[in-house]
Amino acid sequence: MSHGSTPHPLTAGQAGPLAGTIRVPGDKSISHRALMFGALAVGRTTVTGLLESEDVLATANAMRAVGATIEKQADGSYTIDGIGLGSLLEPESVIDFGNAGTGVRLTMGILGTHDIAATFVGDASLSKRPMGRVFDPLRQMGTNVIARSGDRLPASIRGARQPLPITYRVPVPSAQVKSAVLLAGLNAPGETTVIEPIATRDHTEKMLAGFGAEISVTLNEAGERVIRLKGQPELKPQDLEVPGDPSSAAFPIVAALIVPGSDVTVENILLNEHRTGLITTLIEMGADIEILNERSAGGERVGDIHVRHSKLKGITVPPNRAPSMIDEYPVLAVAAAFAEGDTHMPGVEELRVKESDRLAAVARGLEANGIPCIEAEDALTVKGGANAIGGGTVVTHLDHRIAMSFLVLGLASGKPVTVDDGAVIATSFPTFTSLFAELGATISGSESEAA
Ligand code: S3P
């Protein structure tokens, strides 16, 4: 599960026009939650389109470790035979979440109000990420936590015997923190309330309602989202279909925008309003993007995204848009390198605590490829329109989105771009290089795809 022992460098060079219609794998956020909520329901949940990436498979193993039976069926769907909220078993060994922040933080929420003990580890990237943001509310609910340096993995928790429902104002815009508190609230008596000053992706709220929980979302006088969850519901198994991940679709979308002559359609993409910030931003930059065949599937807006090569111009991205495109800033920085003028991205301090310090990793990657940029503590400005870009080697720091973003850069830059480790792409998008090959791009060293 952990990367780093055998890095697989990958190189992308200038591509001819990208053309074709593709589907990217299922949404990572929804896939994690489908496995978790399936495990908490009593009976059989069926999931089609589950993302089969290392992160999601780590969550599947975690749910097996607490008693769920999860199997892949001959037709490619997954079945989850849930053990039921309140009945989870104590895992027999340490749970290894690899690179998966969503997996570990949400699972700590679930287990934090079950009367069992568990120990969590992760790879070198996950072990650097702050966990205090989840431990703080869990402690208020009665969970005992012991963690390296107070808020890092490895960490052990002893779930609350008598969990307390709390009212919690999320101090940073984070769907993971919000979700961890709500999932802990599932097994607490009474009402757990989460106040979210800045809205983040709402998959937990929507999917919990779909599984039969009593959950409401209102806005208070200050315009903050107030989410109220009634504890100890009986969750009912569901049949779920996971739409394509907009955060994965971002790579072929940006590639099509910057490779001259390209015309690409990415089908069946989740268009949840809390996930479409990149599309909005690219359209403001002048991108030729159309949403086709818009429909509703499983309570979510889904559509096909048609993109053509476009002349882009730099803009300032409104900081309040950050949560709806938080994972897309690295690839936006690549699009910005091809825009005319500066693209300014303020209010993005959360990027420093992702799979890597993404502000620093993106800035160093741009510089290595001759693209001027200004890195501030909480902002990045990319200076577009530089000549003779490319030719650099980018350090990925075990960050899948850094690896994919800079390979996209290589497809349109003057000289090829190398990333020091492409194996990390398997975290979220195992078919990345083969889908790009379908569009006509060659990313070499692709033996690492199976890694
Ligand atoms: C996610 C929330 C976001 C995002 C991550 C997935 C989720 O993290 O970056 O890739 O599924 O809830 P934060 O909550 O830390 O912003």
Side-chain angles (χ1 to χ4, degrees):
M1 177 93 33
S2 46
H3 299 290
S5 42
T6 331
H8 294 264
L10 286 180
T11 299
Q14 214 170 50
L18 303 177
T21 298
I22 54 168
R23 284 189 174 220
V24 297
D27 186 67
K28 184 151 79 72
S29 294
I30 293 182
S31 294
H32 280 297
R33 288 160 173 82
L35 292 167
M36 292 174 186
F37 301 167
L40 294 174
V42 179
R44 175 164 288 195
T45 286
T46 303
V47 187
T48 54
L50 186 87
L51 168 62
E52 292 176 296
S53 75
E54 288 182 356
D55 266 22
V56 172
L57 297 178
T59 289
N61 282 337
M63 293 303 110
R64 289 187 181 109
V66 294
T69 302
I70 301 177
E71 277 166 2
K72 185 171 181 177
Q73 302 300 318
D75 65 358
S77 67
Y78 277 77
T79 52
I80 306 149
D81 289 299
I83 186 161
L85 183 65
S87 307
L88 301 185
L89 307 177
E90 187 160 275
E92 281 174 10
S93 52
V94 164
I95 303 181
D96 185 352
F97 267 102
N99 197 258
T102 305
V104 75
R105 290 192 175 118
L106 271 57
T107 300
M108 290 195 291
I110 295 173
L111 270 54
T113 51
H114 281 76
D115 185 13
I116 54 178
T119 297
F120 303 92
V121 298
D123 70 5
S125 155
L126 192 58
S127 302
K128 284 190 199 132
R129 300 182 66 185
M131 297 294 150
R133 48 179 62 196
V134 170
F135 297 155
D136 290 346
L138 287 182
R139 286 194 172 108
Q140 291 178 30
M141 299 177 90
T143 312
N144 267 313
V145 183
I146 304 173
R148 182 177 64 85
S149 307
D151 78 335
R152 297 289 194 268
L153 296 184
S156 295
I157 65 170
R158 164 95 234 162
R161 204 156 287 157
Q162 290 178 315
L164 298 169
I166 59 170
T167 293
Y168 193 70
R169 176 183 294 271
V170 185
V172 283
S174 166
Q176 293 178 1
V177 174
K178 164 178 68 178
S179 300
V181 177
L182 290 171
L183 297 185
L186 277 178
N187 203 35
E191 191 173 89
T192 293
T193 303
V194 176
I195 302 167
E196 204 181 27
I198 301 171
T200 63
R201 65 192 69 193
D202 60 356
H203 308 305
T204 297
E205 298 90 304
K206 279 190 165 163
M207 290 176 70
L208 278 180
F211 274 81
E214 248 182 72
I215 183 164
S216 69
V217 182
T218 53
L219 290 183
N220 65 16
E221 322 73 62
E224 302 168 325
R225 287 177 90 237
V226 180
I227 307 150
R228 293 190 177 84
L229 172 73
K230 190 155 174 253
Q232 301 176 323
E234 196 188 311
L235 298 178
K236 301 194 179 56
Q238 301 296 305
D239 286 342
L240 302 171
E241 206 183 306
V242 184
D245 193 329
S247 299
S248 296
F251 301 105
I253 289 170
V254 169
L257 288 174
I258 62 177
V259 175
S262 297
D263 188 328
V264 168
T265 302
V266 194
E267 289 183 332
N268 195 41
I269 297 303
L270 172 71
L271 296 173
N272 177 303
E273 59 174 322
H274 299 289
R275 301 289 300 280
T276 49
L278 176 73
I279 301 292
T280 308
T281 301
L282 291 171
I283 290 172
E284 286 175 7
M285 292 171 77
D288 179 351
I289 295 181
E290 310 170 85
I291 309 288
L292 307 171
N293 197 15
E294 210 174 315
R295 57 207 182 268
S296 170
E300 290 285 7
R301 207 161 67 92
V302 169
D304 304 337
I305 302 179
H306 179 216
V307 200
R308 277 182 284 228
H309 171 253
S310 307
K311 197 166 154 15
L312 301 175
K313 61 176 192 308
I315 61 162
T316 293
V317 184
N320 63 3
R321 193 181 290 160
S324 68
M325 54 180 290
I326 194 66
D327 291 335
E328 282 70 78
Y329 281 96
V331 79
L332 173 65
V334 169
F338 293 88
E340 196 186 307
D342 293 358
T343 298
H344 185 46
M345 309 170 201
V348 290
E349 60 276 15
E350 272 297 298
L351 295 184
R352 295 216 180 267
V353 291
K354 294 295 176 186
E355 286 82 331
S356 67
D357 174 346
R358 283 188 178 156
L359 269 178
V362 168
R364 298 298 84 72
L366 293 172
E367 286 160 7
N369 288 288
I371 300 156
C373 64
I374 302 165
E375 178 195 354
E377 194 43 43
D378 63 349
L380 182 70
T381 300
V382 180
K383 302 197 157 288
N387 288 320
I389 64 174
T393 295
V394 175
V395 184
T396 53
H397 300 283
L398 289 178
D399 188 333
H400 52 131
R401 298 198 204 283
I402 297 297
M404 292 186 279
S405 298
F406 282 97
L407 290 169
V408 168
L409 173 71
L411 298 177
S413 55
K415 286 186 248 161
V417 174
T418 298
V419 299
D420 68 345
D421 187 12
V424 290
I425 293 172
T427 289
S428 67
F429 196 166
T431 54
F432 177 81
T433 53
S434 59
L435 280 180
F436 270 95
E438 274 181 44
L439 294 176
T442 306
I443 296 175
S444 59
S446 51
E447 79 280 359
S448 68
E449 178 154 314

